[in-house]
Amino acid sequence: MYKLFFNLVFKRMDPEQAHHLAFRWIRLTARTPVLRTFAAAALAPRYKELRTEALGLRMHGPFGLAAGFDKNAVAIDGMSMLGFDHIEIGTVTARAQDGNPKKRLFRLVPDRALINRMGFNNEGSAAVAARLAARVPVFKTVVGVNIGKTKVVPEEEAVADYVASTERLARHADYLVVNVSSPNTPGLRNLQATESLRPLLTAVREAADRTVTDRRVPLLVKIAPDLADEDVDAVADLALELGLDGIIATNTTIAREGLGLKSAPELVKETGGLSGAPVKERSLEVLRRLYARVGDRLVLVGVGGIENAEDAWQRILAGATLIQGYSAFIYEGPFYARAIHKGLAARLAVSPYATLAEAVGAETRKAAQ
């Protein structure tokens, strides 16, 4: 039914307008007790065998919503109602910004992919912090906060910009993510170079510890699939050196060649980050490389092209403790998380692993032997 609705309605709408329409429906349902209860029962069944502990946090399962869908923390309960085990809001910047000019979001339907050049459109860290502070949760869920650089801030002032967001948001975050990998903010990806990343992550860690004194807020960094292998290794080594808690692999790609894209050339040529199925293989490669480098010393979060339970299971076997989705949700609809949970439980049941934690990295370890 969802796919029929997508083809008849959403496919004919501007992608950003369709996003806002779906967002309003999700929020309205979550605010209506009867509808909320019915939706959660249908879409978010819990599987005891999928319970996950990561980053010092307990979650119903390993599958969460990637950053980018709920930029301003307005639908946390709605997305939890749909079955996501953790919700990563953002990307949030220190200052409010409108993002890039429209049109800036494109569907590549034959490729089950999206291209976006949104440009971190959000209300700013002060407004988002106030919303999180006032939130009365309906569902108990883990909330990650993803922070990025304000576009107008020069690269040499990026550290102070991230610190400002950290000071406002860290106390409201179950975990914090430094995003240095979006292709839609000029100069942002330059911060992935270790000589720039080291002072940035050090300053954010210090700001989080200074701001939140009653607990340690886990800190992760999100990297691009376009990094060369030696740069992936360098980020992994830096994360260990600085005592980070995890790495998210990966963000969107600027690549187009070699991906076998089937969509119309005028769409493929649009600038911005490509997400969805075409990113799957490279994201998996980066994840395997990271796990081979860091093992279980860091929590790895696999994201990029996770369309179904088999994709999710492969990320776990490759080394991901947590997994995230976004683009496939647009194509699969409200039963997306439910299908992944059901499929993961089925695969675990017939696997040689007693627990999900035991499966994490199993195939990467086997390949290294």
Side-chain angles (χ1 to χ4, degrees):
M1 289 179 65
Y2 174 78
K3 290 181 179 179
L4 177 63
F5 183 80
F6 178 89
N7 287 325
L8 292 178
V9 181
F10 278 180
K11 191 174 178 180
R12 301 171 185 270
M13 294 179 65
D14 173 80
E16 193 168 348
Q17 290 179 340
H19 175 92
H20 291 308
L21 175 61
F23 216 48
R24 283 195 291 270
W25 287 347
I26 293 168
R27 293 172 64 188
L28 177 62
T29 302
R31 289 172 181 169
T32 308
V34 173
L35 295 177
R36 179 176 68 224
T37 302
F38 176 79
L43 303 175
R46 303 302 184 186
Y47 296 82
K48 291 182 180 180
E49 61 269 38
L50 297 183
R51 288 176 181 169
T52 300
E53 291 193 16
L55 305 171
L57 304 165
R58 293 182 178 180
M59 307 182 198
H60 293 293
F63 186 56
L65 179 71
F69 194 87
D70 186 2
K71 299 177 186 298
N72 294 305
V74 297
I76 294 170
D77 285 318
M79 302 315 294
S80 181
M81 174 190 72
L82 295 181
F84 291 98
D85 300 312
H86 64 274
I87 314 297
E88 190 171 309
I89 64 137
T91 295
V92 184
T93 54
R95 308 182 198 176
Q97 55 186 31
D98 293 331
N100 292 323
K102 299 177 181 179
K103 187 174 182 181
R104 54 192 182 181
L105 180 62
F106 308 87
R107 296 193 203 96
L108 280 63
V109 177
D111 301 294
R112 296 178 62 81
L114 301 173
I115 289 176
N116 93 82
R117 51 172 180 265
M118 303 298 289
F120 291 168
N121 53 309
N122 74 102
E123 296 174 5
S125 57
V128 174
R131 183 170 293 117
L132 289 170
R135 177 174 173 256
V136 179
V138 174
F139 297 104
K140 185 178 180 181
T141 191
V142 167
V143 178
V145 177
N146 183 303
I147 58 174
K149 185 181 81 69
T150 306
K151 184 176 181 178
V152 298
V153 170
E155 195 173 325
E156 59 271 20
E157 297 175 18
V159 170
D161 193 63
Y162 278 90
V163 165
S165 291
T166 303
E167 291 174 341
R168 292 168 182 158
L169 291 164
R171 63 174 53 88
H172 308 297
D174 290 314
Y175 68 87
L176 195 64
V177 181
V178 171
N179 185 351
V180 288
S181 50
S182 169
N184 300 317
T185 296
L188 185 74
R189 287 191 168 194
N190 295 339
L191 299 175
Q192 291 179 112
T194 53
E195 61 269 20
S196 300
L197 193 56
R198 179 179 281 104
L200 171 59
L201 293 174
T202 299
V204 170
R205 177 73 272 167
E206 291 173 351
D209 292 342
R210 185 173 61 249
T211 304
V212 185
T213 57
D214 59 339
R215 62 186 175 96
R216 185 181 185 280
V217 180
L219 180 62
L220 300 86
V221 63
K222 187 169 186 176
I223 64 173
D226 307 311
L227 285 178
D229 287 347
E230 56 269 25
D231 293 325
V232 172
D233 293 343
V235 172
D237 293 344
L238 180 63
L240 290 172
E241 174 194 331
L242 297 180
L244 262 63
D245 299 276
I247 300 175
I248 300 180
T250 62
N251 210 320
T252 59
T253 181
I254 58 173
R256 300 292 187 270
E257 299 299 323
L259 297 177
L261 298 175
K262 306 178 186 68
S263 298
E266 60 270 20
L267 280 179
V268 172
K269 290 177 182 177
E270 292 288 351
T271 60
L274 174 70
S275 61
V279 188
K280 185 181 305 184
E281 290 306 316
R282 178 55 184 166
S283 293
L284 185 56
E285 288 175 5
V286 172
L287 177 63
R288 286 178 176 141
R289 190 171 190 93
L290 286 170
Y291 187 80
R293 196 83 174 182
V294 307
D296 59 4
R297 291 175 290 175
L298 296 176
V299 171
L300 300 180
V301 184
V303 57
I306 297 177
E307 299 187 272
N308 50 47
E310 181 60 24
D311 294 332
W313 182 239
Q314 290 303 316
R315 299 303 168 96
I316 290 169
L317 295 177
T321 300
L322 300 176
I323 45 182
Q324 295 179 340
Y326 174 178
S327 298
F329 176 51
I330 306 301
Y331 293 103
E332 294 298 317
F335 285 89
Y336 175 48
R338 175 188 169 124
I340 286 184
H341 285 121
K342 183 178 180 180
L344 278 179
R347 282 161 176 77
L348 180 62
V350 299
S351 78
Y353 313 111
T355 65
L356 205 59
E358 189 179 320
V360 172
E363 291 299 321
T364 301
R365 291 193 301 272
K366 185 184 299 183
Q369 292 175 352

Short mmCIF file of all heavy atoms in Angstrom, two decimals, residues 127-159:
data_model
loop_
_atom_site.label_atom_id
_atom_site.label_comp_id
_atom_site.label_asym_id
_atom_site.label_seq_id
_atom_site.Cartn_x
_atom_site.Cartn_y
_atom_site.Cartn_z
N ALA A 127 18.02 27.10 19.82
CA ALA A 127 16.61 26.72 19.69
C ALA A 127 16.42 25.22 19.88
O ALA A 127 15.47 24.78 20.54
CB ALA A 127 16.08 27.14 18.32
N VAL A 128 17.31 24.42 19.32
CA VAL A 128 17.18 22.97 19.45
C VAL A 128 17.42 22.54 20.90
O VAL A 128 16.73 21.67 21.43
CB VAL A 128 18.15 22.24 18.49
CG1 VAL A 128 18.14 20.74 18.74
CG2 VAL A 128 17.77 22.54 17.04
N ALA A 129 18.38 23.18 21.56
CA ALA A 129 18.63 22.88 22.97
C ALA A 129 17.41 23.19 23.82
O ALA A 129 17.04 22.42 24.73
CB ALA A 129 19.84 23.66 23.47
N ALA A 130 16.77 24.31 23.56
CA ALA A 130 15.56 24.68 24.31
C ALA A 130 14.45 23.66 24.09
O ALA A 130 13.72 23.29 25.03
CB ALA A 130 15.10 26.07 23.90
N ARG A 131 14.31 23.18 22.87
CA ARG A 131 13.27 22.18 22.57
C ARG A 131 13.57 20.86 23.29
O ARG A 131 12.67 20.23 23.86
CB ARG A 131 13.19 21.96 21.06
CG ARG A 131 12.09 20.98 20.66
CD ARG A 131 11.88 20.95 19.15
NE ARG A 131 11.34 22.22 18.69
CZ ARG A 131 11.97 23.04 17.84
NH1 ARG A 131 13.17 22.72 17.37
NH2 ARG A 131 11.42 24.17 17.49
N LEU A 132 14.81 20.45 23.28
CA LEU A 132 15.18 19.22 23.97
C LEU A 132 14.99 19.34 25.48
O LEU A 132 14.55 18.40 26.15
CB LEU A 132 16.63 18.84 23.65
CG LEU A 132 16.89 18.35 22.23
CD1 LEU A 132 18.40 18.25 21.96
CD2 LEU A 132 16.22 17.01 21.98
N ALA A 133 15.30 20.51 26.01
CA ALA A 133 15.14 20.73 27.45
C ALA A 133 13.67 20.68 27.87
O ALA A 133 13.35 20.22 28.97
CB ALA A 133 15.75 22.07 27.84
N ALA A 134 12.79 21.13 27.00
CA ALA A 134 11.36 21.18 27.33
C ALA A 134 10.64 19.87 26.99
O ALA A 134 9.47 19.70 27.36
CB ALA A 134 10.70 22.33 26.57
N ARG A 135 11.32 18.96 26.33
CA ARG A 135 10.68 17.74 25.86
C ARG A 135 10.24 16.84 27.02
O ARG A 135 11.00 16.59 27.95
CB ARG A 135 11.64 16.98 24.94
CG ARG A 135 11.12 15.65 24.43
CD ARG A 135 12.06 15.01 23.43
NE ARG A 135 11.59 13.67 23.09
CZ ARG A 135 12.13 12.55 23.55
NH1 ARG A 135 13.20 12.60 24.34
NH2 ARG A 135 11.64 11.38 23.22
N VAL A 136 9.01 16.34 26.92
CA VAL A 136 8.50 15.34 27.85
C VAL A 136 8.33 14.06 27.03
O VAL A 136 7.38 13.92 26.27
CB VAL A 136 7.16 15.77 28.47
CG1 VAL A 136 6.65 14.68 29.42
CG2 VAL A 136 7.31 17.10 29.20
N PRO A 137 9.26 13.10 27.17
CA PRO A 137 9.23 11.93 26.29
C PRO A 137 7.99 11.07 26.46
O PRO A 137 7.53 10.84 27.57
CB PRO A 137 10.48 11.15 26.71
CG PRO A 137 11.34 12.13 27.43
CD PRO A 137 10.39 13.09 28.08
N VAL A 138 7.45 10.62 25.35
CA VAL A 138 6.37 9.64 25.36
C VAL A 138 6.96 8.24 25.32
O VAL A 138 6.51 7.34 26.02
CB VAL A 138 5.42 9.86 24.16
CG1 VAL A 138 4.37 8.76 24.10
CG2 VAL A 138 4.75 11.23 24.26
N PHE A 139 7.98 8.07 24.49
CA PHE A 139 8.68 6.80 24.39
C PHE A 139 10.10 6.98 24.91
O PHE A 139 10.73 8.00 24.67
CB PHE A 139 8.74 6.32 22.94
CG PHE A 139 7.41 6.05 22.32
CD1 PHE A 139 6.85 6.94 21.41
CD2 PHE A 139 6.70 4.90 22.65
CE1 PHE A 139 5.62 6.69 20.84
CE2 PHE A 139 5.46 4.65 22.09
CZ PHE A 139 4.92 5.54 21.18
N LYS A 140 10.58 5.98 25.62
CA LYS A 140 11.95 6.01 26.09
C LYS A 140 12.86 5.60 24.96
O LYS A 140 12.83 4.45 24.50
CB LYS A 140 12.14 5.08 27.29
CG LYS A 140 13.52 5.16 27.92
CD LYS A 140 13.63 4.25 29.13
CE LYS A 140 15.03 4.36 29.75
NZ LYS A 140 15.17 3.46 30.94
N THR A 141 13.67 6.51 24.46
CA THR A 141 14.56 6.20 23.35
C THR A 141 15.86 6.95 23.51
O THR A 141 15.91 8.00 24.18
CB THR A 141 13.89 6.57 22.00
OG1 THR A 141 14.66 6.04 20.93
CG2 THR A 141 13.77 8.07 21.83
N VAL A 142 16.90 6.45 22.93
CA VAL A 142 18.20 7.09 22.95
C VAL A 142 18.23 8.18 21.89
O VAL A 142 17.84 7.95 20.74
CB VAL A 142 19.31 6.06 22.70
CG1 VAL A 142 20.65 6.73 22.40
CG2 VAL A 142 19.45 5.12 23.91
N VAL A 143 18.69 9.37 22.28
CA VAL A 143 18.74 10.52 21.37
C VAL A 143 20.19 10.96 21.19
O VAL A 143 20.85 11.39 22.14
CB VAL A 143 17.91 11.69 21.91
CG1 VAL A 143 18.01 12.90 20.96
CG2 VAL A 143 16.45 11.28 22.08
N GLY A 144 20.68 10.83 19.96
CA GLY A 144 21.99 11.36 19.63
C GLY A 144 21.84 12.74 19.01
O GLY A 144 20.83 13.05 18.39
N VAL A 145 22.85 13.57 19.21
CA VAL A 145 22.84 14.93 18.65
C VAL A 145 24.06 15.08 17.74
O VAL A 145 25.20 14.93 18.18
CB VAL A 145 22.87 16.00 19.76
CG1 VAL A 145 22.92 17.39 19.14
CG2 VAL A 145 21.64 15.87 20.66
N ASN A 146 23.79 15.39 16.49
CA ASN A 146 24.81 15.53 15.47
C ASN A 146 25.06 17.01 15.22
O ASN A 146 24.11 17.76 14.92
CB ASN A 146 24.32 14.82 14.20
CG ASN A 146 25.31 14.82 13.06
OD1 ASN A 146 25.77 15.86 12.62
ND2 ASN A 146 25.61 13.64 12.55
N ILE A 147 26.31 17.46 15.37
CA ILE A 147 26.62 18.89 15.22
C ILE A 147 27.58 19.12 14.06
O ILE A 147 28.43 18.28 13.75
CB ILE A 147 27.21 19.50 16.52
CG1 ILE A 147 28.49 18.77 16.93
CG2 ILE A 147 26.18 19.47 17.63
CD1 ILE A 147 29.21 19.43 18.12
N GLY A 148 27.40 20.26 13.40
CA GLY A 148 28.24 20.62 12.26
C GLY A 148 28.63 22.08 12.29
O GLY A 148 28.23 22.83 13.20
N LYS A 149 29.37 22.52 11.28
CA LYS A 149 29.86 23.89 11.20
C LYS A 149 28.85 24.81 10.53
O LYS A 149 28.27 24.47 9.50
CB LYS A 149 31.18 23.95 10.42
CG LYS A 149 31.83 25.34 10.40
CD LYS A 149 33.12 25.34 9.61
CE LYS A 149 32.87 25.45 8.11
NZ LYS A 149 32.34 26.79 7.73
N THR A 150 28.64 25.98 11.11
CA THR A 150 27.83 27.01 10.47
C THR A 150 28.51 27.45 9.18
O THR A 150 29.72 27.69 9.15
CB THR A 150 27.66 28.21 11.41
OG1 THR A 150 27.14 27.77 12.67
CG2 THR A 150 26.72 29.24 10.81
N LYS A 151 27.74 27.58 8.12
CA LYS A 151 28.30 27.84 6.80
C LYS A 151 29.13 29.12 6.74
O LYS A 151 30.20 29.15 6.13
CB LYS A 151 27.18 27.89 5.76
CG LYS A 151 27.66 28.07 4.32
CD LYS A 151 26.50 28.01 3.34
CE LYS A 151 27.00 28.15 1.90
NZ LYS A 151 25.89 28.05 0.93
N VAL A 152 28.63 30.20 7.38
CA VAL A 152 29.31 31.50 7.25
C VAL A 152 30.55 31.60 8.13
O VAL A 152 31.30 32.57 8.03
CB VAL A 152 28.34 32.66 7.58
CG1 VAL A 152 27.19 32.70 6.61
CG2 VAL A 152 27.85 32.59 9.02
N VAL A 153 30.77 30.64 8.98
CA VAL A 153 31.94 30.67 9.87
C VAL A 153 33.17 30.21 9.10
O VAL A 153 33.16 29.13 8.51
CB VAL A 153 31.70 29.77 11.11
CG1 VAL A 153 32.99 29.60 11.90
CG2 VAL A 153 30.61 30.37 11.98
N PRO A 154 34.24 31.00 9.10
CA PRO A 154 35.46 30.60 8.39
C PRO A 154 36.04 29.31 8.98
O PRO A 154 35.84 29.00 10.16
CB PRO A 154 36.42 31.78 8.62
CG PRO A 154 35.55 32.92 9.04
CD PRO A 154 34.37 32.32 9.73
N GLU A 155 36.76 28.59 8.16
CA GLU A 155 37.32 27.31 8.59
C GLU A 155 38.21 27.47 9.82
O GLU A 155 38.23 26.61 10.72
CB GLU A 155 38.12 26.69 7.44
CG GLU A 155 38.45 25.23 7.62
CD GLU A 155 39.09 24.64 6.38
OE1 GLU A 155 38.71 25.04 5.26
OE2 GLU A 155 39.98 23.79 6.55
N GLU A 156 38.94 28.58 9.89
CA GLU A 156 39.85 28.79 11.02
C GLU A 156 39.11 29.06 12.34
O GLU A 156 39.69 28.99 13.42
CB GLU A 156 40.83 29.93 10.74
CG GLU A 156 40.19 31.28 10.45
CD GLU A 156 39.90 31.48 8.96
OE1 GLU A 156 39.84 30.48 8.21
OE2 GLU A 156 39.74 32.65 8.56
N GLU A 157 37.79 29.33 12.26
CA GLU A 157 36.98 29.54 13.47
C GLU A 157 36.03 28.38 13.74
O GLU A 157 35.15 28.46 14.60
CB GLU A 157 36.18 30.84 13.33
CG GLU A 157 37.04 32.09 13.20
CD GLU A 157 36.22 33.34 12.93
OE1 GLU A 157 34.99 33.31 13.18
OE2 GLU A 157 36.80 34.34 12.45
N ALA A 158 36.26 27.27 13.03
CA ALA A 158 35.35 26.13 13.14
C ALA A 158 35.33 25.54 14.55
O ALA A 158 34.27 25.15 15.05
CB ALA A 158 35.75 25.06 12.12
N VAL A 159 36.47 25.47 15.19
CA VAL A 159 36.52 24.85 16.52
C VAL A 159 35.60 25.59 17.49
O VAL A 159 34.80 24.98 18.22
CB VAL A 159 37.97 24.84 17.05
CG1 VAL A 159 37.99 24.43 18.52
CG2 VAL A 159 38.83 23.87 16.24
#
